[in-house]
Amino acid sequence: PSLAIVYGSDFKLDKVEADPTLYGKRDAILAAPYFQIDWQARDNLNLTLGGRYDRYEIYSDRSAVLGDPRSFDHFSPKFGLNYHPLKNTILRASISNGFKFPIVAQMFLEFDSAGFKFLPSPDLRSETSWNYEVGFRHKITPTWFFEVNGFYTKVTDLIEPQPQLSGDVKFIKIGRAHV
């Protein structure tokens, strides 16, 4: 049995300087520490456990109409396994949770051109998802293999553009989606 640990952090700074009539000046900061533990429990069984914590903050300049800072926090766990029932065969499965925070344009875009108008949606929340994967791989020769994989993703609070009764367009949460 062996054990490997991977850890680190992502950091990102975005600066947006747009016409105030679009979405103004905004700064966004992402900080995301993560870890992953890979454990070879037996000669034919590997287990993976991991997680990532994301903190995303959007700040506005003082002249922005929708100037309040917005913060998004999310912990994304992951669990997976690889099982080798035979020398050239691998069965694998994983479950993970993820999220997608709304981007500056989805929250703050205000644009009017030729009667087509986008409205800001400053109260949007993050999309979240649960992802499931199973797979089978069999090595036929050193360079040929047969592989079948299945994926299923359940998304909550999916963000999409939605036409309004007024004819305007606004980004909203449309609820659940299955992929």
Side-chain angles (χ1 to χ4, degrees):
S2 67
L3 185 70
I5 300 173
V6 177
Y7 59 91
S9 182
D10 286 342
F11 181 81
K12 181 179 174 183
L13 171 64
D14 292 327
K15 295 184 94 36
V16 177
E17 293 191 21
D19 184 325
T21 60
L22 289 176
Y23 40 75
K25 295 179 182 179
R26 311 230 177 240
D27 293 338
I29 297 172
L30 170 71
Y34 60 87
F35 74 95
Q36 182 167 305
I37 300 169
D38 293 314
W39 178 40
Q40 183 179 3
R42 302 178 139 204
D43 289 340
N44 64 347
L45 179 64
N46 296 338
L47 302 174
T48 300
L49 174 67
R52 175 181 166 124
Y53 174 77
D54 285 83
R55 170 86 176 177
Y56 185 69
E57 297 176 346
I58 299 174
Y59 299 94
S60 304
D61 71 353
R62 292 182 189 154
S63 65
V65 176
L66 302 168
D68 296 333
R70 301 288 192 255
S71 297
F72 302 92
D73 293 281
H74 190 82
F75 177 72
S76 304
K78 176 184 178 181
F79 175 76
L81 66 87
N82 286 338
Y83 177 60
H84 301 258
L86 304 170
K87 180 181 176 186
N88 293 327
T89 303
I90 300 173
L91 300 173
R92 61 178 177 266
S94 68
I95 299 172
S96 61
N97 177 258
F99 86 112
K100 179 179 161 268
F101 46 81
I103 61 173
V104 169
Q106 290 172 324
M107 294 178 69
F108 301 108
L109 179 65
E110 190 165 3
F111 179 73
D112 189 358
S113 177
F116 187 68
K117 185 175 183 180
F118 274 93
L119 301 174
S121 303
D123 296 325
L124 285 176
R125 298 283 180 235
S126 298
E127 298 175 354
T128 58
S129 63
W130 280 99
N131 311 293
Y132 307 90
E133 177 185 351
V134 293
F136 167 84
R137 181 177 184 158
H138 183 73
K139 190 177 189 182
I140 300 166
T141 71
T143 57
W144 288 83
F145 61 89
F146 174 77
E147 186 168 12
V148 176
N149 294 296
F151 303 90
Y152 174 75
T153 302
K154 181 179 175 183
V155 180
T156 303
D157 294 333
L158 181 65
I159 298 170
E160 288 290 320
Q162 174 91 30
Q164 305 295 298
L165 292 175
S166 63
D168 301 332
V169 176
K170 187 173 187 173
F171 286 95
I172 65 165
K173 297 186 304 183
I174 63 168
R176 296 177 188 253
H178 302 271
V179 181

